[in-house]
């Protein structure tokens, strides 16, 4: 039984020694391949090429980031310009509304001046008619007084002597008083007519001023409408430029995102390969250590067995 056990142990030891030798040979081969890969120019060129591509991609990423920052700055500037254009449009819209209000007020004042002018014309015509009527009445009264004075003078001539109590001076005083009253009335009407003419002139001046203000308001309104149309066109152009730049920036960002994902996938695959190589190497080391321990164990057993076998002979 001991011989059979020793024979079995020898067979197992031979198998383990052969396996250890085979693994050592494979380890040497792998070590040589690693050294050749490290020292060969192809590996260096591959690594340099990979590092160069990685550097180029990093530079492209930095350039894309700078372009993105520039585009964002341009977008912010365009947004500020659009806001300024909007505020200016609002101001011009408010100015336009104010001009419309001023125009409506000027139109109202113009209508009132026209009505006042029509009323003043009617009043002047009415006053002229009244003056003419007063002049006619005055002429008729004067003619009647002249006739009365003539008839009275004829009746006086028929008498040889005039009464003591009658004085022809009273008739002349009466005529003078009537003349003064008529002159006062005429002066009063003339004063009223001059005042009405002055009011009419003032109304005409106000009317001309209102017409001029209306024309200026129309011109200002047309100018504001032209500016508003130009600002609308500029706003549309700025919005189109902003949308185009946003689309271009989005496309470039998508391209760089795809490139980054591809690099990340390649990085992950390299990590997996490196981890696999390290794991295989670690397994080989563990296997080598276990085999070394088994060899040392079997060697110790053989030494103990040989010692035990030599002791009886001694």
């Amino acid at each position: 039984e001991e011989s059979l056990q020793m024979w079995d142990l020898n067979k197992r030891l031979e198998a383990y020694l052969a396996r250890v030798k085979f693994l050592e040979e494979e380890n040497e081969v792998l070590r040589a391949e690693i050294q050749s890969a490290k020292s060969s120019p192809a590996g260096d060129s591959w690594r340099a090429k990979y590092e160069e591509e990685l550097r180029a991609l990093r530079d492209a990423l930095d350039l894309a980031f700078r372009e993105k920052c520039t585009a964002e700055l341009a977008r912010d500037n365009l947004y500020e310009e659009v806001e300024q254009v909007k505020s200016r449009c609002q101001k011009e819209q408010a100015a336009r509304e104010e001009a419309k209000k001023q125009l409506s007020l000027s139109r109202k004042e113009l209508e009132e001046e026209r009505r006042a002018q029509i009323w003043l014309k009617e009043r002047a015509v009415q006053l002229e008619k009244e003056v003419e009527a007063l002049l006619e009445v005055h002429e008729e009264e004067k003619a009647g007084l002249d006739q009365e004075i003539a008839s009275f003078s004829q009746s006086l001539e028929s008498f040889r002597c005039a009464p003591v109590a009658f004085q022809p001076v009273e008739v002349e005083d009466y005529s003078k008083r009537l003349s003064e009253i008529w002159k006062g009335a005429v002066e009063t009407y003339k004063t009223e007519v001059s005042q009405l003419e002055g009011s009419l002139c003032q109304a005409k001046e106000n009317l001309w001023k209102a017409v001029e203000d209306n024309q200026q308001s129309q011109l200002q309104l047309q100018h504001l409408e032209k500016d508003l149309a130009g600002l609308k066109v500029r706003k549309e152009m700025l919005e189109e430029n902003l949308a185009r730049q946003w689309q271009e920036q989005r496309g470039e960002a998508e391209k760089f995102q795809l490139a980054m994902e591809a690099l990340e996938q390649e990085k992950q695959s390299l990590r997996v390969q490196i981890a696999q190589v390290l794991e295989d190497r670690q397994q080989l080391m563990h296997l080598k250590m276990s085999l070394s321990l088994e060899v040392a164990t079997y060697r110790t057993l053989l030494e103990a067995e040989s010692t035990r076998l030599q002791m009886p002979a001694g």
Side-chain angles (χ1 to χ4, degrees), residues 78-96:
L78 289 173
Y79 183 74
E80 290 179 359
E81 288 182 0
V82 169
E83 291 295 329
Q84 290 177 3
V85 169
K86 285 182 180 179
S87 63
R88 188 174 178 184
C89 287
Q90 290 177 358
K91 290 180 181 179
E92 290 185 355
Q93 187 70 24
R96 186 177 178 183

Side-chain angles (χ1 to χ4, degrees), residues 114-127:
R114 286 178 181 175
R115 291 175 184 175
Q117 186 179 4
I118 292 169
W119 181 80
L120 289 172
K121 287 180 179 179
E122 292 177 354
R123 183 64 177 168
V125 171
Q126 186 179 1
L127 290 173

Side-chain angles (χ1 to χ4, degrees), residues 45-299:
S45 63
W46 179 78
R47 182 175 294 176
K49 185 177 180 182
Y50 174 74
E51 289 179 355
E52 185 178 358
E53 289 180 358
L54 186 61
R55 193 180 299 108
L57 289 172
R58 285 177 180 174
D59 294 335
L61 184 62
D62 293 334
L63 182 61
F65 183 74
R66 288 195 294 271
E67 289 179 355
K68 181 182 178 182
C69 293
T70 306
E72 288 179 353
L73 183 62
R75 183 189 65 187
D76 295 335
N77 292 327
L78 289 173
Y79 183 74
E80 290 179 359
E81 288 182 0
V82 169
E83 291 295 329
Q84 290 177 3
V85 169
K86 285 182 180 179
S87 63
R88 188 174 178 184
C89 287
Q90 290 177 358
K91 290 180 181 179
E92 290 185 355
Q93 187 70 24
R96 186 177 178 183
E97 295 293 332
E98 187 68 23
K100 285 182 179 179
K101 290 181 181 179
Q102 293 292 332
L103 183 61
S104 62
L105 292 174
S106 300
R107 286 178 180 174
K108 289 181 181 179
E109 291 179 357
L110 182 61
E111 291 294 331
E112 291 178 357
E113 292 293 335
R114 286 178 181 175
R115 291 175 184 175
Q117 186 179 4
I118 292 169
W119 181 80
L120 289 172
K121 287 180 179 179
E122 292 177 354
R123 183 64 177 168
V125 171
Q126 186 179 1
L127 290 173
E128 288 178 357
K129 290 180 179 180
E130 289 180 358
V131 169
E132 289 177 357
L134 288 173
L135 289 173
E136 290 177 358
V137 171
H138 180 69
E139 292 294 334
E140 290 177 356
E141 289 180 354
K142 186 177 180 183
L145 287 174
D146 290 335
Q147 289 178 2
E148 288 179 359
I149 290 169
S151 61
F152 187 70
S153 61
Q154 288 177 2
S155 62
L156 285 176
E157 287 178 357
S158 62
F159 293 100
R160 291 180 179 177
C161 61
V164 179
F166 179 75
Q167 295 180 358
V169 183
E170 294 179 359
V171 177
E172 293 178 358
D173 292 336
Y174 181 70
S175 176
K176 289 179 180 179
R177 288 178 182 177
L178 287 176
S179 298
E180 290 176 355
I181 291 169
W182 178 76
K183 288 180 180 179
V186 170
E187 292 293 331
T188 303
Y189 282 112
K190 284 182 179 181
T191 305
E192 290 181 358
V193 169
S194 63
Q195 290 179 357
L196 290 173
E197 288 178 353
S199 300
L200 183 61
C201 293
Q202 186 68 30
K204 286 181 179 179
E205 290 179 358
N206 293 328
L207 180 62
W208 282 110
K209 288 181 180 179
V211 170
E212 289 178 356
D213 292 336
N214 190 6
Q215 291 178 356
Q216 291 179 359
S217 299
Q218 289 287 342
L219 292 174
Q220 188 176 4
L221 184 61
Q222 292 176 0
H223 183 66
L224 289 174
E225 287 178 352
K226 290 180 180 178
D227 292 339
L228 183 61
L231 289 172
K232 284 182 179 179
V233 172
R234 187 180 177 187
K235 180 182 176 183
E236 291 177 356
M237 291 176 63
L238 289 173
E239 287 178 353
E240 290 177 358
N241 292 327
L242 182 61
R244 186 172 64 253
Q245 290 181 2
W246 181 256
Q247 291 294 331
E248 292 177 356
Q249 182 182 359
R250 188 174 180 182
E252 291 178 357
E254 289 177 355
K255 290 179 181 179
F256 285 114
Q257 185 67 29
L258 292 173
M260 288 294 295
E261 289 178 357
L263 288 174
E264 189 68 27
Q265 289 178 0
E266 188 176 358
K267 183 179 177 182
Q268 291 294 331
S269 64
L270 289 174
R271 283 183 178 178
V272 170
Q273 292 177 4
I274 291 169
Q276 187 68 31
V277 171
L278 291 174
E279 187 177 358
D280 293 338
R281 188 174 180 183
Q282 190 174 5
Q283 287 179 1
L284 289 172
M285 292 296 293
H286 283 296
L287 184 59
K288 184 178 179 181
M289 289 175 67
S290 63
L291 290 174
S292 298
L293 289 173
E294 286 182 1
V295 168
T297 303
Y298 282 112
R299 189 176 294 169

